[in-house]
Coordinates of all heavy atoms in Angstrom, one line a residue:
M5 N 107.9 93.2 144.7 CA 106.8 93.8 144.0 C 105.6 93.8 144.9 O 105.2 92.8 145.4 CB 106.6 93.1 142.7 CG 105.4 93.6 142.0 SD 105.0 92.6 140.5 CE 106.4 92.9 139.4
L6 N 104.9 95.0 145.0 CA 103.7 95.0 145.8 C 102.5 94.8 144.9 O 102.5 95.2 143.8 CB 103.6 96.4 146.4 CG 104.5 96.8 147.5 CD1 104.3 98.2 147.9 CD2 104.4 95.8 148.6
T7 N 101.6 93.9 145.3 CA 100.4 93.6 144.5 C 99.3 93.7 145.4 O 99.3 93.6 146.6 CB 100.5 92.2 143.8 OG1 100.5 91.3 144.9 CG2 101.6 92.1 143.0
N8 N 98.0 93.8 144.8 CA 96.8 93.6 145.6 C 95.8 92.9 144.6 O 96.1 92.7 143.4 CB 96.3 94.9 146.0 CG 95.9 95.9 144.9 OD1 95.4 95.5 143.9 ND2 96.2 97.2 145.1
A9 N 94.7 92.5 145.1 CA 93.7 91.7 144.4 C 93.2 92.5 143.2 O 92.8 91.8 142.1 CB 92.6 91.4 145.3
N10 N 93.1 93.8 143.2 CA 92.6 94.6 142.0 C 93.7 94.7 141.0 O 93.5 95.2 139.8 CB 92.1 95.9 142.5 CG 91.0 95.8 143.4 OD1 90.2 94.8 143.2 ND2 90.9 96.6 144.4
S11 N 95.0 94.5 141.3 CA 96.1 94.7 140.4 C 97.0 93.6 140.4 O 98.0 93.6 141.2 CB 96.8 96.0 140.7 OG 97.9 96.2 139.9
P12 N 96.7 92.4 139.7 CA 97.6 91.3 139.8 C 98.9 91.6 139.2 O 99.1 92.5 138.3 CB 96.8 90.3 138.9 CG 95.9 91.1 138.0 CD 95.6 92.3 138.8
P13 N 100.0 90.9 139.5 CA 101.3 91.2 139.1 C 101.4 90.9 137.6 O 100.8 90.0 137.1 CB 102.3 90.2 139.9 CG 101.3 89.1 140.4 CD 100.0 89.7 140.5
K14 N 102.2 91.7 136.9 CA 102.4 91.5 135.5 C 103.9 91.3 135.3 O 104.7 92.2 135.8 CB 102.0 92.7 134.6 CG 100.5 92.9 134.7 CD 100.1 94.1 133.7 CE 98.5 94.1 133.7 NZ 98.1 95.3 133.1
F15 N 104.3 90.3 134.6 CA 105.7 89.9 134.4 C 106.0 90.2 132.9 O 105.2 90.1 132.1 CB 106.0 88.5 134.7 CG 105.6 88.2 136.1 CD1 104.5 87.6 136.5 CD2 106.6 88.6 137.2 CE1 104.3 87.3 137.9 CE2 106.4 88.3 138.4 CZ 105.2 87.7 138.9
P16 N 107.3 90.6 132.5 CA 107.6 91.0 131.2 C 107.2 89.9 130.1 O 106.8 90.2 129.1 CB 109.1 91.1 131.3 CG 109.4 91.4 132.7 CD 108.3 90.7 133.5
N17 N 107.4 88.6 130.4 CA 107.1 87.6 129.5 C 105.7 87.0 129.6 O 105.3 86.1 128.8 CB 108.1 86.4 129.7 CG 109.6 87.0 129.3 OD1 109.7 87.8 128.5 ND2 110.5 86.4 130.0
Q18 N 104.9 87.6 130.4 CA 103.6 87.1 130.6 C 102.7 87.3 129.3 O 102.7 88.5 128.7 CB 102.9 87.8 131.8 CG 101.6 87.3 132.1 CD 100.9 88.0 133.3 OE1 101.6 88.9 133.8 NE2 99.8 87.6 133.8
Q19 N 102.1 86.4 128.9 CA 101.2 86.5 127.7 C 99.9 87.4 128.0 O 99.3 87.0 129.0 CB 100.7 85.2 127.1 CG 101.8 84.3 126.6 CD 102.1 84.6 125.2 OE1 101.2 85.1 124.5 NE2 103.3 84.5 124.7
Q20 N 99.8 88.4 127.4 CA 98.6 89.2 127.6 C 97.4 88.7 126.7 O 97.7 88.3 125.5 CB 98.9 90.6 127.2 CG 99.9 91.4 128.1 CD 99.4 91.4 129.5 OE1 98.3 91.7 129.9 NE2 100.3 91.0 130.5
P21 N 96.2 88.6 127.1 CA 95.2 88.2 126.3 C 95.0 89.0 125.1 O 95.1 90.2 125.1 CB 93.9 88.2 127.2 CG 94.3 89.2 128.3 CD 95.8 89.1 128.4
Q22 N 94.9 88.3 123.9 CA 94.7 89.0 122.6 C 93.3 89.5 122.6 O 92.4 88.8 122.9 CB 95.0 88.0 121.5 CG 96.4 87.5 121.4 CD 97.3 88.4 120.7 OE1 96.8 89.1 119.8 NE2 98.6 88.5 121.1
Q23 N 93.2 90.7 122.1 CA 91.8 91.2 121.9 C 91.2 90.6 120.6 O 91.8 90.6 119.7 CB 91.8 92.7 121.8 CG 92.0 93.5 123.0 CD 91.6 94.9 122.8 OE1 91.5 95.4 121.8 NE2 91.4 95.6 124.0
Q24 N 90.1 90.0 120.8 CA 89.4 89.3 119.8 C 88.5 90.2 119.0 O 87.6 90.8 119.5 CB 88.5 88.2 120.3 CG 89.2 87.0 120.9 CD 90.1 86.3 119.9 OE1 89.7 86.1 118.8 NE2 91.3 85.9 120.3
Q25 N 89.0 90.7 117.8 CA 88.3 91.6 117.0 C 88.0 91.1 115.6 O 89.0 90.6 115.0 CB 89.0 93.0 116.9 CG 89.0 93.8 118.1 CD 89.7 95.1 118.0 OE1 90.6 95.3 117.1 NE2 89.3 96.1 118.8
Q26 N 86.9 91.2 115.1 CA 86.6 90.8 113.7 C 86.9 92.0 112.9 O 86.2 92.9 112.8 CB 85.1 90.4 113.6 CG 84.6 89.2 114.4 CD 85.3 87.9 113.7 OE1 85.4 87.9 112.6 NE2 85.5 87.0 114.6
Q27 N 88.1 91.9 112.1 CA 88.5 93.0 111.3 C 88.5 92.6 109.9 O 88.9 91.4 109.6 CB 89.8 93.5 111.7 CG 89.9 94.4 112.9 CD 91.2 95.0 113.1 OE1 92.2 94.3 113.3 NE2 91.2 96.4 113.2
N28 N 88.2 93.5 109.0 CA 88.4 93.3 107.6 C 89.9 93.3 107.4 O 90.6 94.2 107.8 CB 87.7 94.5 106.8 CG 87.9 94.4 105.4 OD1 88.9 93.8 104.8 ND2 87.0 95.0 104.7
P29 N 90.4 92.2 106.8 CA 91.9 92.1 106.5 C 92.5 93.3 105.8 O 93.5 93.9 106.1 CB 92.1 90.9 105.6 CG 90.9 90.2 105.8 CD 89.8 91.0 106.1
A30 N 91.7 93.9 104.9 CA 92.1 95.1 104.2 C 92.3 96.3 105.1 O 93.2 97.1 105.1 CB 91.3 95.4 103.0
Q31 N 91.3 96.5 106.0 CA 91.3 97.5 106.9 C 92.5 97.3 107.9 O 93.2 98.3 108.3 CB 90.0 97.6 107.7 CG 88.9 98.1 106.8 CD 87.6 98.1 107.6 OE1 87.3 97.3 108.5 NE2 86.7 99.0 107.3
F32 N 92.7 96.1 108.3 CA 93.8 95.8 109.2 C 95.1 96.2 108.6 O 95.9 96.8 109.3 CB 93.8 94.3 109.6 CG 95.0 93.9 110.5 CD1 94.9 94.2 111.8 CD2 96.1 93.3 109.9 CE1 95.9 93.8 112.6 CE2 97.1 93.0 110.7 CZ 97.0 93.2 112.2
M33 N 95.3 95.9 107.3 CA 96.6 96.3 106.7 C 96.8 97.8 106.6 O 97.9 98.3 106.6 CB 96.6 95.6 105.2 CG 96.8 94.2 105.3 SD 96.7 93.5 103.6 CE 97.9 94.3 102.7
L34 N 95.6 98.5 106.6 CA 95.8 100.0 106.5 C 95.9 100.6 107.8 O 96.0 101.8 108.0 CB 94.5 100.6 105.8 CG 94.5 100.2 104.3 CD1 93.1 100.6 103.8 CD2 95.5 101.0 103.6
G35 N 95.8 99.8 108.9 CA 96.1 100.4 110.2 C 94.7 100.8 110.7 O 93.6 100.4 110.3
K36 N 94.8 101.6 111.8 CA 93.5 102.0 112.5 C 92.9 103.2 111.9 O 92.0 103.8 112.5 CB 93.7 102.1 114.0 CG 94.1 100.9 114.6 CD 94.2 101.0 116.1 CE 94.4 99.6 116.7 NZ 94.6 99.7 118.2
G37 N 93.4 103.8 110.8 CA 92.8 105.0 110.2 C 91.5 104.7 109.6 O 90.9 103.6 109.7
S38 N 90.9 105.7 109.0 CA 89.6 105.6 108.5 C 89.6 105.1 107.1 O 88.6 105.2 106.3 CB 88.8 106.9 108.7 OG 89.5 107.9 108.0
L39 N 90.7 104.9 106.5 CA 90.8 104.5 105.0 C 90.1 103.2 104.8 O 90.4 102.3 105.5 CB 92.3 104.5 104.6 CG 93.0 105.8 104.5 CD1 94.4 105.4 104.1 CD2 92.4 106.6 103.5
Q40 N 89.4 103.1 103.8 CA 88.8 101.9 103.3 C 89.0 101.6 101.9 O 89.0 102.6 101.1 CB 87.2 102.0 103.7 CG 86.9 101.9 105.2 CD 85.5 101.8 105.5 OE1 84.6 102.0 104.5 NE2 85.2 101.7 106.7
I41 N 89.1 100.4 101.6 CA 89.3 100.1 100.1 C 87.9 100.1 99.5 O 87.0 99.4 99.9 CB 90.0 98.7 100.0 CG1 91.4 98.8 100.4 CG2 90.0 98.2 98.6 CD1 92.2 97.6 100.4
K42 N 87.8 100.9 98.4 CA 86.5 100.8 97.5 C 86.4 99.5 96.8 O 87.3 98.9 96.3 CB 86.5 102.0 96.5 CG 86.3 103.3 97.2 CD 86.2 104.4 96.0 CE 84.9 104.3 95.3 NZ 83.7 104.6 96.0
K43 N 85.1 99.0 96.9 CA 84.9 97.8 96.3 C 84.1 97.9 94.9 O 83.9 96.9 94.3 CB 84.2 96.8 97.2 CG 85.1 96.4 98.4 CD 84.5 95.5 99.3 CE 85.5 95.1 100.5 NZ 84.9 94.6 101.6
N44 N 83.7 99.1 94.6 CA 83.0 99.3 93.5 C 83.7 100.3 92.6 O 84.7 101.0 92.9 CB 81.5 99.8 93.8 CG 81.6 101.1 94.5 OD1 82.4 101.3 95.4 ND2 80.7 102.0 94.1
A45 N 83.3 100.4 91.3 CA 84.0 101.1 90.3 C 83.9 102.7 90.7 O 82.8 103.1 91.2 CB 83.4 101.0 88.9
I46 N 85.0 103.4 90.4 CA 85.0 104.8 90.7 C 83.8 105.6 90.0 O 83.3 106.5 90.6 CB 86.4 105.5 90.5 CG1 86.5 106.8 91.1 CG2 86.7 105.6 89.0 CD1 87.1 106.8 92.5
I47 N 83.6 105.1 88.8 CA 82.5 105.9 88.0 C 81.1 105.6 88.6 O 80.2 106.3 88.1 CB 82.6 105.5 86.5 CG1 82.5 104.0 86.3 CG2 84.0 106.0 85.9 CD1 82.4 103.6 84.8
D48 N 80.9 104.6 89.4 CA 79.6 104.5 90.0 C 79.2 105.8 90.9 O 78.1 106.1 90.9 CB 79.5 103.3 91.0 CG 79.6 102.0 90.1 OD1 79.5 102.1 89.0 OD2 79.9 100.9 90.9
D49 N 80.2 106.3 91.6 CA 80.0 107.3 92.5 C 80.5 108.8 92.1 O 80.1 109.7 92.6 CB 80.7 107.1 93.9 CG 80.2 105.7 94.5 OD1 79.1 105.4 94.4 OD2 81.1 105.1 95.1
Y50 N 81.4 108.7 91.2 CA 82.1 110.0 90.7 C 81.9 110.2 89.2 O 82.0 109.2 88.4 CB 83.5 110.0 91.0 CG 83.7 110.0 92.5 CD1 83.8 108.7 93.3 CD2 83.9 111.2 93.3 CE1 84.0 108.7 94.6 CE2 84.1 111.1 94.7 CZ 84.1 109.9 95.3 OH 84.4 109.8 96.6
K51 N 81.7 111.5 88.8 CA 81.8 111.8 87.3 C 83.4 112.1 87.1 O 83.8 113.1 87.7 CB 81.0 113.0 87.0 CG 81.1 113.4 85.6 CD 80.1 114.5 85.4 CE 80.3 115.2 84.0 NZ 81.1 114.7 83.0
V52 N 84.1 111.2 86.3 CA 85.4 111.5 86.1 C 85.6 112.3 84.8 O 85.0 112.0 83.7 CB 86.1 110.1 85.8 CG1 87.6 110.3 85.6 CG2 86.0 109.2 87.1
T53 N 86.2 113.4 84.9 CA 86.5 114.4 83.8 C 87.8 114.1 83.1 O 88.6 113.3 83.7 CB 86.3 115.8 84.2 OG1 87.5 116.2 84.8 CG2 85.1 116.1 85.0
S54 N 88.0 114.7 82.0 CA 89.4 114.6 81.4 C 90.3 115.7 81.8 O 91.3 115.9 81.2 CB 89.3 114.4 79.9 OG 88.5 115.6 79.4
Q55 N 89.7 116.6 82.7 CA 90.5 117.8 83.1 C 91.8 117.4 83.9 O 91.5 116.8 85.0 CB 89.6 118.7 83.9 CG 90.3 119.9 84.4 CD 90.7 120.9 83.4 OE1 90.0 121.2 82.5 NE2 91.8 121.3 83.4
V56 N 92.9 117.6 83.4 CA 94.1 117.2 84.2 C 94.5 118.3 85.2 O 94.7 119.5 84.8 CB 95.2 116.9 83.2 CG1 96.6 116.6 84.0 CG2 94.9 115.8 82.2
L57 N 94.5 118.0 86.4 CA 94.9 119.0 87.5 C 96.3 119.2 87.6 O 96.9 120.2 87.9 CB 94.2 118.7 88.8 CG 92.7 118.7 88.9 CD1 92.3 118.1 90.3 CD2 92.2 120.1 88.7
G58 N 97.1 118.1 87.3 CA 98.5 118.2 87.4 C 99.1 116.8 87.0 O 98.4 115.8 86.9
L59 N 100.4 116.9 86.9 CA 101.2 115.7 86.6 C 102.2 115.3 87.7 O 102.9 116.3 88.1 CB 102.0 115.9 85.3 CG 101.2 116.1 84.0 CD1 102.1 116.4 82.8 CD2 100.3 114.9 83.7
G60 N 102.2 114.1 88.1 CA 103.1 113.7 89.2 C 104.1 112.8 88.5 O 104.1 112.5 87.4
I61 N 105.0 112.3 89.4 CA 106.1 111.4 88.9 C 105.5 110.1 88.4 O 106.0 109.5 87.4 CB 107.1 111.1 90.0 CG1 107.8 112.4 90.3 CG2 108.1 110.1 89.6 CD1 108.7 112.4 91.7
N62 N 104.4 109.7 89.1 CA 103.8 108.3 88.7 C 102.5 108.4 88.0 O 102.0 107.4 87.7 CB 103.6 107.6 90.1 CG 104.9 107.3 90.8 OD1 105.8 106.7 90.2 ND2 105.0 107.7 92.0
G63 N 102.1 109.5 87.6 CA 100.9 109.6 86.7 C 100.1 110.9 86.8 O 100.8 112.0 87.3
R64 N 98.9 110.9 86.3 CA 98.2 112.2 86.2 C 97.2 112.3 87.4 O 96.8 111.4 87.9 CB 97.3 112.2 84.9 CG 98.1 112.2 83.7 CD 97.2 112.1 82.5 NE 96.5 110.7 82.5 CZ 95.5 110.4 81.8 NH1 94.9 111.3 81.1 NH2 95.0 109.2 81.9
V65 N 96.8 113.6 87.6 CA 95.7 113.8 88.6 C 94.6 114.5 87.9 O 94.7 115.5 87.2 CB 96.2 114.7 89.7 CG1 95.1 115.0 90.7 CG2 97.4 114.0 90.5
L66 N 93.4 113.8 87.9 CA 92.2 114.2 87.1 C 91.2 114.9 88.1 O 91.1 114.5 89.3 CB 91.5 113.2 86.4 CG 92.4 112.4 85.3 CD1 91.5 111.4 84.8 CD2 92.9 113.4 84.3
E67 N 90.5 115.9 87.6 CA 89.4 116.5 88.4 C 88.2 115.6 88.2 O 87.7 115.1 87.1 CB 89.1 117.9 87.7 CG 88.0 118.5 88.4 CD 87.7 119.9 87.8 OE1 87.1 119.9 86.7 OE2 88.2 120.9 88.4
I68 N 87.5 115.2 89.3 CA 86.4 114.4 89.4 C 85.3 115.0 90.3 O 85.7 115.9 91.1 CB 86.7 113.0 89.8 CG1 87.1 112.9 91.3 CG2 87.7 112.3 88.9 CD1 87.2 111.4 91.8
F69 N 84.1 114.7 90.2 CA 83.1 115.2 90.9 C 82.2 114.0 91.5 O 81.8 113.2 90.9 CB 82.1 116.1 90.1 CG 82.7 117.4 89.6 CD1 83.4 117.4 88.4 CD2 82.7 118.5 90.4 CE1 84.0 118.6 87.9 CE2 83.5 119.6 90.0 CZ 84.1 119.6 88.7
H70 N 81.9 114.2 92.8 CA 81.0 113.2 93.5 C 79.7 113.4 93.0 O 79.1 114.6 93.0 CB 81.0 113.5 95.0 CG 80.4 112.3 95.7 ND1 79.2 112.5 96.3 CD2 80.7 111.1 96.0 CE1 78.8 111.4 96.9 NE2 79.8 110.5 96.7
K71 N 79.0 112.4 92.4 CA 77.7 112.5 91.8 C 76.6 113.0 92.7 O 75.8 113.8 92.3 CB 77.3 111.2 91.2 CG 78.1 110.7 90.0 CD 77.6 109.4 89.5 CE 78.3 109.1 88.1 NZ 78.0 107.7 87.7
R72 N 76.6 112.6 93.9 CA 75.4 112.9 94.8 C 75.7 114.4 95.3 O 74.7 115.2 95.3 CB 75.2 112.0 95.9 CG 74.3 110.8 95.4 CD 73.9 109.9 96.6 NE 75.0 109.0 97.0 CZ 75.1 108.6 98.2 NH1 74.2 108.7 99.1 NH2 76.1 107.7 98.5
S73 N 76.8 114.7 95.9 CA 77.1 115.9 96.5 C 77.5 117.0 95.6 O 77.4 118.2 95.8 CB 78.1 115.7 97.6 OG 79.5 115.5 97.0
G74 N 78.0 116.6 94.4 CA 78.6 117.5 93.5 C 80.0 118.1 93.8 O 80.5 118.9 93.2
E75 N 80.5 117.6 95.0 CA 81.8 118.1 95.4 C 82.9 117.6 94.5 O 82.9 116.6 93.9 CB 82.1 117.5 96.8 CG 81.5 118.3 97.9 CD 82.0 117.8 99.3 OE1 81.4 116.8 99.8 OE2 82.9 118.5 99.8
K76 N 83.9 118.5 94.5 CA 85.0 118.3 93.5 C 86.2 117.6 94.2 O 86.5 117.9 95.4 CB 85.5 119.6 93.1 CG 86.7 119.7 92.1 CD 86.9 121.0 91.6 CE 88.3 121.4 91.4 NZ 88.5 122.7 90.8
Y77 N 86.7 116.6 93.6 CA 87.8 115.8 94.2 C 88.9 115.6 93.1 O 88.7 115.9 91.9 CB 87.3 114.4 94.5 CG 86.5 114.4 95.8 CD1 85.1 114.5 95.7 CD2 87.0 114.1 97.1 CE1 84.3 114.6 96.9 CE2 86.2 114.1 98.2 CZ 84.8 114.3 98.0 OH 84.1 114.2 99.2
A78 N 90.1 115.3 93.6 CA 91.2 114.9 92.7 C 91.4 113.4 92.7 O 91.4 112.8 93.7 CB 92.5 115.7 93.2
L79 N 91.6 112.8 91.5 CA 91.8 111.4 91.3 C 93.2 111.3 90.8 O 93.5 111.7 89.7 CB 90.8 110.8 90.3 CG 90.9 109.3 90.0 CD1 90.9 108.5 91.2 CD2 90.0 109.0 88.9
K80 N 94.1 110.5 91.5 CA 95.4 110.3 91.0 C 95.4 108.9 90.3 O 95.0 108.0 90.9 CB 96.3 110.3 92.3 CG 97.7 110.2 91.9 CD 98.5 110.5 93.3 CE 99.9 110.3 93.1 NZ 100.6 110.8 94.3
L81 N 95.9 108.9 89.2 CA 96.0 107.7 88.3 C 97.4 107.3 88.2 O 98.3 108.1 87.7 CB 95.5 108.0 86.9 CG 94.0 108.3 86.8 CD1 93.5 108.6 85.4 CD2 93.1 107.1 87.3
D82 N 97.8 106.1 88.6 CA 99.1 105.7 88.5 C 99.3 105.2 87.1 O 98.5 104.4 86.6 CB 99.4 104.5 89.5 CG 99.8 105.1 90.8 OD1 100.2 106.3 91.0 OD2 99.8 104.3 91.9
A83 N 100.4 105.6 86.4 CA 100.7 105.2 85.1 C 101.1 103.7 85.1 O 102.0 103.4 86.0 CB 101.7 106.0 84.5
V84 N 100.6 102.9 84.3 CA 101.1 101.5 84.2 C 102.1 101.4 83.0 O 101.8 101.8 82.0 CB 99.9 100.6 84.0 CG1 100.3 99.1 83.9 CG2 98.8 100.8 85.0
E85 N 103.2 100.8 83.3 CA 104.3 100.7 82.4 C 103.9 99.6 81.4 O 103.3 98.5 81.8 CB 105.5 100.4 83.0 CG 106.1 101.6 83.7 CD 107.5 101.4 84.3 OE1 108.3 100.6 83.7 OE2 107.8 102.2 85.1
Ligands
ATP113 N1 94.1 117.5 95.5 C1 94.6 118.2 94.5 N2 93.9 119.2 94.0 C2 94.4 119.8 92.9 N3 95.5 119.5 92.2 C3 96.1 118.4 92.7 C4 95.7 117.7 93.8 N4 96.5 116.7 94.0 C5 97.5 116.8 93.0 N5 97.2 117.9 92.3 C6 98.1 118.3 91.1 O1 98.6 117.2 90.5 C7 100.1 117.2 90.5 C8 100.7 115.9 90.8 O2 100.3 115.5 92.1 P1 101.0 114.2 92.7 O3 100.4 114.0 94.0 O4 100.7 113.1 91.7 O5 102.5 114.6 92.6 P2 103.7 113.7 93.1 O6 104.2 114.2 94.4 O7 104.7 113.9 92.0 O8 103.2 112.3 93.2 P3 103.8 111.0 92.8 O9 105.3 111.0 92.9 O10 103.2 109.9 93.6 O11 103.4 110.8 91.3 C9 100.3 118.3 91.7 O12 101.5 119.0 91.5 C10 99.1 119.2 91.6 O13 99.4 120.2 90.5

C-alpha cells in the first residue's frame, strides 16, 4: 500500500473518529431530513376546520389553514381504536 504524510493508511477495522454532534434525539430518529416534531398544539398555529378532504385507511384528512399565512394544508388524523 502506498501512503504519504497527507494520506495516512486506512485499514478496514480501523476505528474512524465519531463526529460529535449535538442532535435532538427526535430529529436523529427521523434521519437527516427537515422533519421536526411539533411541540405545541396544532390549533396554536392552524385553524382546524371540520371540512373532510378525504378518508384514508387509517383515518380522516381535514382541511386546515395556517393562521399567519392563511395557507391551506391537509391534516391527517389517525383513528384511535
Ligand atoms: N394533501 C391533501 N390535499 C387534499 N386531499 C388530501 C390530501 N391528502 C389526503 N387527501 C385526501 O384524503 C384521502 C385519504 O388520504 P390518506 O393519505 O389518509 O390515504 P391513505 O393512503 O389511505 O392513507 P392511510 O392508509 O395512511 O390512511 C385521499 O384519498 C385524499 O382524498
Side-chain angles (χ1 to χ4, degrees):
M5 177 185 292
L6 292 175
T7 64
N8 63 40
N10 295 327
S11 176
K14 289 186 179 170
F15 299 99
N17 294 329
Q18 185 179 4
Q19 291 279 329
Q20 296 296 317
Q22 298 273 329
Q23 284 198 340
Q24 295 293 323
Q25 289 184 333
Q26 294 290 328
Q27 278 187 307
N28 177 335
Q31 289 177 328
F32 178 77
M33 287 172 63
L34 290 169
K36 293 186 175 177
S38 60
L39 288 177
Q40 291 185 350
I41 292 178
K42 282 184 72 66
K43 292 180 179 163
N44 59 317
I46 193 93
I47 57 172
D48 289 349
D49 301 325
Y50 297 88
K51 176 176 173 13
V52 179
T53 76
S54 55
Q55 177 68 47
V56 177
L57 294 174
L59 297 173
I61 295 169
N62 296 304
R64 294 173 296 162
V65 175
L66 299 181
E67 181 178 74
I68 66 173
F69 293 91
H70 190 254
K71 285 181 178 175
R72 275 191 284 158
S73 69
E75 276 188 278
K76 182 169 142 178
Y77 288 86
L79 173 66
K80 188 167 176 173
L81 297 174
D82 276 344
V84 180
E85 290 185 26

